[in-house]
Amino acid sequence: MTLRRRLRVGLVQLSVATNRRTDNLRRAEALVHEAVDDGCELVVLPEAFATALNLPKSHEVAEPVPGPVTEWLAERASRHGVWIAAGLLERDGEHVHSSAVLIADDGSLVDVYRRTVVYDLEAHFLTGEVGTRVVDTPLGRIGLVVGYDIQFPEVLRGLFADGVEIVVCPSILLRPFAEPVRQMLLARAAENCAYVLFAGATGENTLAGLTYMGRTAVIRSPMAIGAYSRDFRRQEPVLAEADREECVVSADLDLHELRRMQAAAPFPADFRRSPLGQALIAASARPGALPLGDPR
């Protein structure tokens, strides 16, 4: 597989409305088309973008994977020739997961990830599941997490150990947490020596009186921008971000520079070798995960 040197990404910040699935999909399609017109090769949609997190009706609105929403995503991916990552409510028997899927540019389903951490209120309706993995794609080494996971560094450490380059996080978090989450995004990019693509839902859940934070952002690791030089003090890790408007946030990722800095930095290998790293990797691995060790 030829390694990509650069990649243009488009993150869709969508106003996600409860009980308005058809309208959500219609507006999502228009924004996906906008990202494609901007030359984006990877498009990311928010968590539960088609339904919102309608917790009391979560089992009713959730669906299997593959299912109608993944088929909708696959049709757009193959039509436009782009990769798409998106969040949805997944039903598996009696359990409902807030999941993320990765769809290839030919419409094939490449990966499914189920959010690890659910907060107290959600625990009555959603089930968390342990397990992350890095997927080797023509675009780069991609790892999925979802929403609330981004506030827990432990969730991402298996991805770090397997040499993740692009962490994709569809989200539907609440507005009061916007500033703390932004700080956590900067930390996740730095500590995992990777790009973080955070696609946030915006809008309001009027039934529950909740407002979503938006704040979609593309973050690069400061460790990948001359970490041991004067550049470190002048760098800007936020490549692009939005406030709360419905929009597409686009940016170019320099994967060649990221790989050069990952190879030069000692801490990825040191972490993989440490007893703590070994224990966290074993705890977070799931079937299909890449072997432990230097991915290159």
Side-chain angles (χ1 to χ4, degrees):
M1 184 185 299
T2 302
L3 294 178
R4 296 289 298 275
R5 296 175 66 90
R6 297 185 70 81
L7 172 67
R8 187 160 181 79
V9 299
L11 280 55
V12 171
Q13 180 159 291
L14 183 69
S15 181
V16 178
T18 306
N19 298 330
R20 299 288 297 276
R21 176 188 172 113
T22 299
D23 186 50
N24 291 337
L25 293 177
R26 177 186 57 79
R27 287 180 290 101
E29 179 159 27
L31 291 167
V32 168
H33 196 279
E34 180 179 329
V36 171
D37 285 347
D38 191 36
C40 299
E41 302 161 275
L42 170 63
V43 180
V44 186
L45 291 155
E47 180 179 7
F49 81 98
T51 61
L53 282 181
N54 188 352
L55 293 176
K57 294 187 176 181
S58 57
H59 199 276
E60 178 183 332
V61 301
E63 61 182 56
V65 174
V69 170
T70 49
E71 290 171 3
W72 186 94
L73 293 166
E75 197 280 328
R76 274 76 191 165
S78 60
R79 181 200 307 172
H80 296 298
V82 297
W83 287 65
I84 298 179
L88 73 161
L89 289 180
E90 177 192 1
R91 185 174 64 250
D92 181 17
E94 293 303 310
H95 297 290
V96 174
H97 306 276
S98 185
S99 299
V101 296
L102 180 64
I103 310 288
D105 55 2
D106 62 359
S108 59
L109 179 61
V110 174
D111 195 26
V112 183
Y113 166 79
R114 294 168 171 172
R115 173 146 59 95
T116 300
V117 186
V118 297
Y119 60 84
D120 184 57
L121 175 62
E122 289 183 322
H124 298 285
F125 307 97
L126 302 181
T127 301
E129 186 171 294
V130 175
T132 58
R133 66 178 168 194
V134 172
V135 178
D136 246 328
T137 79
L139 306 183
R141 296 173 60 80
I142 296 175
L144 300 174
V145 294
V146 175
Y148 193 41
D149 285 339
I150 207 70
Q151 301 185 58
F152 299 87
E154 302 83 357
V155 175
L156 283 74
R157 297 313 270 170
L159 299 178
F160 170 67
D162 272 336
V164 68
E165 295 170 347
I166 305 168
V167 176
V168 177
C169 182
S171 169
I172 189 167
L173 295 175
L174 300 179
R175 187 178 183 183
F177 304 105
E179 288 306 320
V181 167
R182 189 178 190 273
Q183 297 305 312
M184 292 174 192
L185 291 172
L186 295 168
R188 299 299 88 83
E191 69 202 11
N192 292 296
C193 209
Y195 286 99
V196 174
L197 311 185
F198 179 81
T202 188
E204 296 184 7
N205 182 335
T206 55
L207 299 178
L210 303 173
T211 302
Y212 302 129
M213 63 176 274
R215 302 297 293 270
T216 292
V218 179
I219 313 290
R220 62 179 169 182
S221 171
M223 297 301 144
I225 320 170
Y228 304 108
S229 72
R230 294 177 183 175
D231 291 341
F232 187 80
R233 293 191 295 271
R234 297 194 300 266
Q235 62 195 313
E236 176 49 66
V238 181
L239 296 183
E241 64 180 331
D243 188 9
R244 295 191 58 246
E245 68 278 11
E246 194 170 69
C247 62
V248 175
V249 175
S250 302
D252 294 307
L253 312 187
D254 188 340
L255 296 173
H256 176 72
E257 177 69 2
L258 176 70
R259 293 178 187 121
R260 187 176 73 82
M261 288 300 177
Q262 283 183 336
F267 42 88
D270 292 343
F271 177 77
R272 287 192 292 265
R273 187 171 54 248
S274 72
L276 175 61
Q278 294 280 332
L280 287 174
I281 292 160
S284 65
R286 63 186 170 106
L290 297 176
L292 174 62
D294 190 339
R296 285 167 295 279

